[in-house]
């Protein structure tokens, strides 16, 4: 049976949540909706750390590699003598690589967030339900224990 | 007050800003838009007639446009400092400023990004600056600081925009219940269907942390790269290693001043005194003072080394800066940037928002003049004395300059009326 | 074939068919290239050269016109020509601008009711004939006035005048060298300017004569001085009352008080008499006009330090082959006759006549008249005695003083006929305007001096409905028919040449452009009586109303005739770097006392004349002396010397008063001092004293076959700016104009930087140094500037987006930006060199060592299967330089001129401590 508990106060909400957990309701069936991020929820309902961080790592690494590869390969493809400098001039190329590291990292992280949070969510957009500033705990119908 | 009421009050107060605009607002917006239109018209005139309509000449080939570019990019940095760096430091007072600061960053970068296009002699082939595959098999010169600018400022703009938007996702979700009509639909779409589940918040927190972590080095690196536009040349007065930290400090300095310029009236007209307190302003003022001291140190180092170093080119450049044709600009700059902020050692003045507002204007003037002085005096008196010459701006470059401020303020005023000016969810979190 | 070649071929075939349909951003609808040659012998894309003669000034230098698709795009001096031997001055290079000037007269005009309206030639000539008859009936005299005319044209003019009963007046030249001619006439019976053999001299003393600017044949003198210096053992001292470009280039320059040159010369004459034996003694009657003096008394009177007076005399006496040349402002003053006579006597006494003062090859000034001749002419016209007055290539309305009332009196003639190329001040006043063709459109010959015949031949058909000089005169005679065709005069010329030079000589003339005849030596004898008589009425040392103003010649406009040419206004005056607009040169002390600075407007006034001019402070100018260029004052207040009838270019009792307003006049130089930076390291550069080992992290450049470099010899460069004009014309460099110059924008790729030190000036030609480690290349974001494998810093125009970072980073500031879309007014777009791209607005441009010439030479060498030889071609600037200061070549060739000069021990590079590794080596200017 779906259960829905709405709290106006934060402490009451946390108390209610702890009670649920003590009652033994499996975590997968508990959905929590809050108007802002409440850190205690993570303690009560611990989950795996967000995998967004991998997206960040891969994006950043990809940015570095792309930056260096792009600059070095394009410099080698048409080796023009510029001010007597070496064709593969690493100091300026590192700057480009740095910029791309940040750029790809940020974009990849954002993409990872969207992916992992399943956003944009059509259901969320179309939903007329307004929670306002309430803290809501939803317990979904579970399978037979 | 009960918790629910407190949260509802936050909603009301912040979203009150978005109600129908008053006459003063419309007048201000109209004026800003007028300046922005002038900006575009003058630019179109310049493209049509050729760059000859500006005051640039031989040898001062960079003047007002690059001054404005560096100025606006610099202003953007403070926003990221407040949003990202202070987030990583868990500075509480950040929450009252960070939305306005991020907005300032995004708009400043938008305005800044136009100037590299405006100052091009052949802006219609601006895409040569972008590395794209073409039938000439020609790429761009990655050794040139201007290409670094393209990448650094482009990265900075993208990351700032993402950061700005990400911060507003929960706020759009919260705000959409309080608005009607088209706005409601737009906010709903922009909120991406955000519900506030634990999973969403978990990912969101990590995203925000990483974005802050990515944006933080940008604060140091982007303006360093922009400063290398100058430091990587051999022009006396430009070619010095102090430029990167000097410009970054200067950027934060001018950006903080611009934040004050924007937030003091915003607080007053939107009645946000509860959220943006004098304590907050005192903290911001301390940042202003601190960066002013760094900038003053940089001045001392520059002038000192020019005198001490026996390089006759450097010496002449700095002598010219202080005593030559542009000396009034230099003295005003020194007064506004180094002398006036020293008064912020007094606690009373730090908490006086009217005084802070006045200082912030002076600091912005001083920092704009600093870029102008650096660019024009160094180019004016370069290596070959035959080539020395004096730059005088024309109505076109001045008009574009003033118009850019109009563009910025127009964008900001539009932001104030249409987007939540404070970070609602963060405020509620810290209540 | 390779894919690349196929694509190129495809592109050429398809592109060329579309070519005619294309417009261009310059909106010049006509394309200049041809697919089918327009006439025989013209191959599209290939240049041909035809010899002719420059007519910008009376010197008569030979030019080779470089023709592309049947029109001249560049002028170069003829190597081996007896006058200029390959060099060409700034005026000569700009002669093309005169040819293509949009304001040239396009057809005959007549004045009807106050306005000039076009008429056909037939009507014009019939009017002339009618007026000639009418004035003969009225008892008026028909008069023919021209500038200096030589060769066949002069003979035709004589013949025409004789046949038609026209009185041929003495020729009118502003620089008539009257005093010199008078002195030579009195002493030697030769009323002419002799040919000075500077190449045979070991000590040259010039008194006032502006050898480099305008004196008689400046390019020849410049060249000779340069080669004499190169030979070693040559010294040149210059004495003048003001400051001139010539003075700035002499080995030593002495300032003499105005009008007191003759004190120095009389001292010198006595010294030569006493200590030098050849030449013999001079009669006492003459010597009495030059009383004995001591160095101290000379010094007191003339203002030269006594040790300098002694030094001048000692050197002159000690020299084996000394030469003295007096002229210029020193002979165009009331004491000018004494100066000229003294000079001639010194020449004679020192044995310079006839070895170095050669009357056999005199400079053909005998028919040139004096200012008094013009006074008489004006008076005659005023009295109504003049019938038809022909004004042939002369501009007296501009250059005569207003007291002659020439313009007013011209109206009293029966008919005034203006014959010239432009609607200048004189032609504008004429009743009838007969336009003449440019010398490049005409047949003819010029005899710059006796014994040299220089060819004038048309290199393109006349652009407008004009007649060549000879044809116009023949039409007057009624001999030739057909308008504009050259056949009539040409046949006459051909016959004359054959008669004079023989068949072979004529062929040589047509092929090479000149013939030099051997002439027997012409001994001269000293005629005492006339000289003594003339000198008896000499002025004693009378007071000269100080301060004085000198009307000085201008290297850019000669006597003002170059004012029409925008290129000559665009190129700065070498001493002041002023471009557009007149100025008055004021000495540093006077300026300090009067509290005036550069550009302050002042009212310059003497007793009966005043003008408002901006000030230019001139280092080296003595106190109490002002200088204004001749062309700055239309209708200058020039007096007539009562003895010679010549012009007195010295105005006395002049004062300046501030007007309180600044005048906008472009002064291109930002600083006349080197600021201790050692661009010319003598005095020693403060920073350059320590030469240290250069360490570099960069790989060395690889050069396979060629590495182009240039050597600039500052010892030879005299600042004449001929190279600047050559570069402008060769590379389609646009003329920026006064408004841009006032802002500080110039377009010329090569500039002459004058640097003053204690009143002495040295010139530094600054051009792109083609640095190995070019600071401009690394900052260009789009690879528009890069280093090509032959050592050139190349600018790719169509890639440039115009960020202008390269100019900021260039320490030499040689890069130019196109602030506007420059348009060449029709027909000047035909002057553009098709080998060089015309740049669009927003592009940077700069010198690339005439890469189009490099390409052409390499192509030619490749066709012949060899490498380019040293000296086979050179850049436009090096080609034009009359002194040979610029040497261009391949640094990898150890035998080349540039290699030897760069390793000669005199070489240095500008701003070497910056590490730019320039390819331009400067050879240190020397100081004795």
């Amino acid at each position: 049976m779906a259960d829905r508990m709405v709290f106006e106060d934060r402490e009451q909400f946390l108390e209610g949540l702890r009670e649920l957990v003590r009652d033994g309701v499996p975590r997968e069936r508990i959905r929590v909706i809050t108007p802002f991020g409440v850190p205690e929820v993570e303690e009560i309902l611990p989950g795996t750390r967000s995998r967004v961080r991998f997206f960040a790592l891969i994006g950043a690494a990809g940015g570095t590699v792309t930056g260096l590869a792009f600059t070095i390969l394009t410099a080698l493809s048409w080796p023009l003598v510029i001010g007597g400098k070496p064709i593969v001039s690493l100091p300026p190329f590192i700057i480009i690589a740095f910029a791309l590291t940040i750029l790809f990292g940020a974009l990849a992280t954002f993409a990872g967030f969207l992916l992992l949070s399943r956003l944009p969510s059509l259901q969320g957009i179309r939903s007329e339900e307004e929670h306002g500033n309430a803290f809501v705990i939803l317990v979904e119908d579970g399978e037979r224990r | 007050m009960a918790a629910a009421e407190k949260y509802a009050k936050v909603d009301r107060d912040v979203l009150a800003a978005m109600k129908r605009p008053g006459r003063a607002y419309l007048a201000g917006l109209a004026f800003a838009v007028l300046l922005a239109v002038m900006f575009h018209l003058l630019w179109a005139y310049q493209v049509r007639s050729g760059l000859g309509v500006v005051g640039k000449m031989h040898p001062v080939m960079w003047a007002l446009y690059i001054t404005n570019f560096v100025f606006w990019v610099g202003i953007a940095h403070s926003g990221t400092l407040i949003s990202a760096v202070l987030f990583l430091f868990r500075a509480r007072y950040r929450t009252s400023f960070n939305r306005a600061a991020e907005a300032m960053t995004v708009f400043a970068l938008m305005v800044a990004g136009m100037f590299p296009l405006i100052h091009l002699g052949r802006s219609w082939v601006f895409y040569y600056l972008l590395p794209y595959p073409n039938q000439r098999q020609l790429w761009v010169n990655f050794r040139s600081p201007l290409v670094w600018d393209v990448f650094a400022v482009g990265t900075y703009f993208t990351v700032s925009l993402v950061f700005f938007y990400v911060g507003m996702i929960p706020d759009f979700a919260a705000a959409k219940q309080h608005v009607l009509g088209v706005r409601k639909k737009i906010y709903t779409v922009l909120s991406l269907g955000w519900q506030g589940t634990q999973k969403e918040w978990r990912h969101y927190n990590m995203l925000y942390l990483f974005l802050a972590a990515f944006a933080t080095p940008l604060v140091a690196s982007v303006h360093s790269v922009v400063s290398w536009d100058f430091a990587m040349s051999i022009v006396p007065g430009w070619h010095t290693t102090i430029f990167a930290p000097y410009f970054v400090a200067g950027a934060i300095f001018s950006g903080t001043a611009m934040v004050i310029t924007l937030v003091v009236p915003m607080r007053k007209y939107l009645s946000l005194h509860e959220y943006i307190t004098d304590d907050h302003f005192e903290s911001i003022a301390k940042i202003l003072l601190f960066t002013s001291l760094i900038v003053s140190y940089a001045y001392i180092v520059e002038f000192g080394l020019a005198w001490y170093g026996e390089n006759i080119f450097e010496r002449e450049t700095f002598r010219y800066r202080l005593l030559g044709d542009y000396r009034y600009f230099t003295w005003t700059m020194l007064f506004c940037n180094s002398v006036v902020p020293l008064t912020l050692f007094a606690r009373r003045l730090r908490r006086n928002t009217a005084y802070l507002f006045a200082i912030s204007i002076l600091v912005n003037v001083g920092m704009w003049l600093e870029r102008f002085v650096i660019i024009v005096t160094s180019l004016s008196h370069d290596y070959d004395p035959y080539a020395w010459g004096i730059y005088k701006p024309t109505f076109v470059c001045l008009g574009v300059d003033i118009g850019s401020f109009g563009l910025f303020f127009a964008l900001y005023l539009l932001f104030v009326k249409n987007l939540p000016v404070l970070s609602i969810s963060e405020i509620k979190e810290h209540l | 074939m390779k894919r690349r070649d196929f694509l190129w071929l495809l592109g050429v075939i398809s592109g060329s068919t579309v070519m005619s349909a294309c417009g261009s951003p310059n909106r010049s609808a006509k394309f200049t290239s041809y697919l089918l040659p327009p006439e025989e012998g013209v191959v599209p894309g290939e240049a041909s050269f035809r010899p002719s003669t420059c007519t910008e000034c009376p010197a008569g230098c030979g030019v080779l016109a470089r023709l592309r698709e049947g029109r001249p795009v560049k002028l170069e001096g003829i190597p081996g020509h007896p006058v200029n031997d390959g060099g060409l001055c700034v005026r000569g290079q700009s002669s093309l601008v005169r040819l293509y000037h949009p304001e040239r007269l396009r057809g005959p005009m007549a004045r009807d009711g106050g306005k000039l309206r076009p008429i056909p030639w037939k009507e014009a000539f019939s009017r002339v004939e009618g007026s000639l008859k009418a004035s003969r009936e009225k008892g008026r005299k028909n008069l023919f006035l021209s500038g200096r005319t030589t060769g066949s044209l002069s003979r035709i003019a004589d013949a025409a005048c004789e046949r038609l009963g026209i009185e041929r007046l003495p020729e009118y030249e502003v620089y008539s060298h009257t005093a010199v001619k008078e002195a030579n006439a009195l002493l030697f019976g030769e009323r002419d300017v002799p040919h000075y053999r500077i190449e045979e001299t070991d000590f040259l003393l010039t008194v006032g004569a502006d050898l480099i600017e305008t004196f008689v044949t400046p390019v020849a003198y410049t060249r000779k001085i340069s080669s004499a210096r190169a030979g070693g053992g040559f010294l040149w001292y210059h004495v003048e009352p003001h400051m001139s470009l010539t003075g700035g280039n002499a080995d030593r320059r002495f300032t003499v008080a105005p009008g007191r040159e003759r004190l120095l010369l009389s001292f010198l004459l006595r010294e030569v008499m006493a200590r030098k034996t050849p030449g013999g003694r001079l009669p006492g009657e003459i010597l009495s006009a030059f009383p004995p003096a001591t160095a101290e008394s000379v010094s007191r009177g003339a203002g030269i330090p006594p040790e300098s007076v002694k030094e001048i005399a000692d050197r002159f006496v000690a020299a084996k082959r000394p030469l003295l040349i007096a002229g210029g402002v020193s002979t165009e003053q009331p004491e000018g006759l004494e100066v000229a006579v003294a000079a001639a006597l010194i020449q004679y006494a020192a044995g310079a006549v006839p070895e170095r003062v050669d009357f056999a090859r005199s400079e053909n000034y005998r028919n040139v008249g004096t200012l008094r001749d013009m006074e008489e002419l004006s008076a005659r016209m005023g009295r109504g005695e003049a019938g038809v007055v022909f004004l042939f290539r002369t501009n007296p309305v501009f250059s005569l003083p207003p007291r002659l009332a020439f313009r007013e009196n011209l109206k009293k003639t029966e008919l005034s006929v203006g014959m010239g190329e432009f609607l200048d001040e004189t032609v504008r006043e004429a009743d009838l305007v007969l336009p003449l063709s440019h010398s490049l459109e005409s047949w003819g010959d010029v005899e710059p001096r006796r014994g040299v015949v220089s060819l004038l031949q048309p290199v393109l058909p006349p652009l407008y409905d004009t007649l060549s000089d000879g044809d116009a005169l023949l039409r007057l005679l009624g001999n030739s028919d057909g308008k504009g065709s050259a056949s009539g005069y040409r046949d006459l010329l051909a016959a004359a040449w054959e008669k004079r030079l023989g068949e072979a000589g004529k062929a040589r003339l047509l092929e090479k452009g000149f013939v030099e005849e051997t002439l027997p030596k012409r001994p001269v004898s000293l005629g005492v009586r006339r000289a003594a008589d003339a000198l008896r009425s000499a002025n004693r040392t009378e007071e000269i109303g100080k301060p004085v103003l000198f009307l000085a010649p201008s290297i850019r406009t000669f006597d003002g005739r170059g004012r029409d040419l925008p290129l000559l206004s665009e190129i700065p005056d070498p001493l002041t770097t002023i471009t557009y607009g007149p100025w008055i040169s004021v000495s540093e002390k006077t300026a300090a006392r009067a509290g005036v600075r550069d550009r302050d407007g002042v009212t310059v006034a003497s007793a009966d004349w005043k003008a408002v001019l901006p000030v230019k402070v001139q280092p080296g100018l003595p106190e109490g002396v002002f200088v204004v260029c001749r062309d700055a004052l239309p209708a200058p207040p020039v007096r007539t010397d009562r003895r010679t009838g010549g012009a007195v270019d010295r105005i006395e009792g002049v004062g300046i008063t501030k007007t309180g307003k600044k005048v906008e006049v472009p002064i291109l130089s930002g600083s006349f001092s080197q600021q201790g930076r050692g661009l010319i390291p003598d005095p020693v550069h403060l920073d350059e004293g320590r030469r240290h080992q250069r360490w570099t992290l960069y790989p060395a450049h690889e050069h396979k076959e060629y590495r182009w470099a240039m050597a600039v010899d500052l010892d030879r460069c005299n600042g004449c700016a001929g190279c600047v004009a050559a570069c402008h014309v060769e590379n389609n460099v646009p003329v920026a104009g006064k408004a841009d110059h006032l802002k500080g924008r110039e377009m010329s790729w090569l500039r002459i930087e004058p640097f003053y030190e204690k009143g002495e000036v040295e010139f530094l030609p600054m051009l792109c140094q083609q640095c190995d480690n070019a600071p401009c290349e690394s900052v260009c974001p789009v690879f528009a500037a890069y280093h090509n494998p032959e050592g050139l810093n190349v600018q790719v125009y169509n890639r440039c987006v115009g960020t202008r970072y390269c100019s900021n980073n260039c320490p030499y500031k040689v890069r130019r930006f196109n602030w506007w879309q420059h348009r060449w007014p029709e027909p000047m777009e035909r002057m553009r060199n098709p080998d060089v791209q015309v740049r669009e607005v927003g592009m940077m441009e700069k010198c690339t060592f005439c890469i189009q010439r490099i390409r052409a030479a390499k192509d030619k060498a490749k066709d012949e299967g060899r490498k380019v030889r040293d000296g086979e071609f050179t850049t436009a600037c090096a080609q034009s330089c009359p002194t040979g200061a610029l040497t261009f070549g391949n640094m990898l060739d150890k035998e080349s001129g540039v290699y030897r000069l760069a390793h000669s021990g005199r070489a240095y590079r500008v701003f070497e401590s910056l590490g730019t590794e320039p390819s331009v080596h400067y050879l240190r200017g020397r100081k004795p």
Side-chain angles (χ1 to χ4, degrees), chain C residues 503-544:
Chain C
E503 191 69 48
K506 185 180 106 177
R508 230 182 24 250
L509 177 68
L510 286 169
E511 185 201 325
K512 287 178 59 183
F514 63 92
V515 162
E516 184 159 19
E517 301 165 317
T518 42
L519 294 174
K521 266 210 175 40
R522 194 172 165 121
V524 293
S525 54
L526 194 59
V528 170
R529 175 73 358 93
R530 292 163 304 184
D533 288 340
L535 288 173
R536 207 162 290 127
S537 56
N539 311 328
R540 290 301 129 200
T541 316
E542 51 178 57
E543 272 312 302
I544 296 174

Side-chain angles (χ1 to χ4, degrees), chain B residues 54 58 229 382 384 386, chain C residues 670 677 745 753 804-805 816:
Chain B
V54 304
H58 202 74
D229 278 353
D382 194 285
D384 189 344
Y386 179 92
Chain C
R677 295 175 180 208
R745 302 171 177 162
E753 304 182 341
R804 304 183 301 286
Y805 199 168
R816 304 291 180 211

Side-chain angles (χ1 to χ4, degrees), chain B residues 36-79:
Chain B
V37 167
M38 174 179 81
F39 170 85
H40 283 100
L41 286 178
L42 285 174
W43 183 13
Y45 170 61
Q46 178 197 290
V47 172
R48 183 89 204 286
S49 316
L51 214 57
V53 296
V54 304
K56 287 181 250 295
M57 30 69 84
H58 202 74
V60 183
M61 294 259 191
W62 280 357
L64 283 193
Y65 291 158
I66 299 297
T67 305
N68 277 319
F69 169 66
V70 180
F71 177 73
W72 287 114
V73 174
I75 286 194
H77 281 66
S78 188

Side-chain angles (χ1 to χ4, degrees), chain A residues 7-26:
Chain A
F7 298 89
E8 293 290 337
D9 179 74
R10 181 181 161 160
E11 287 309 316
Q12 290 172 1
F13 153 75
L14 287 172
E15 201 39 58
L17 195 60
R18 286 193 200 100
E19 235 184 81
L20 266 183
V21 172
R22 275 200 301 269
D23 283 348
V25 180

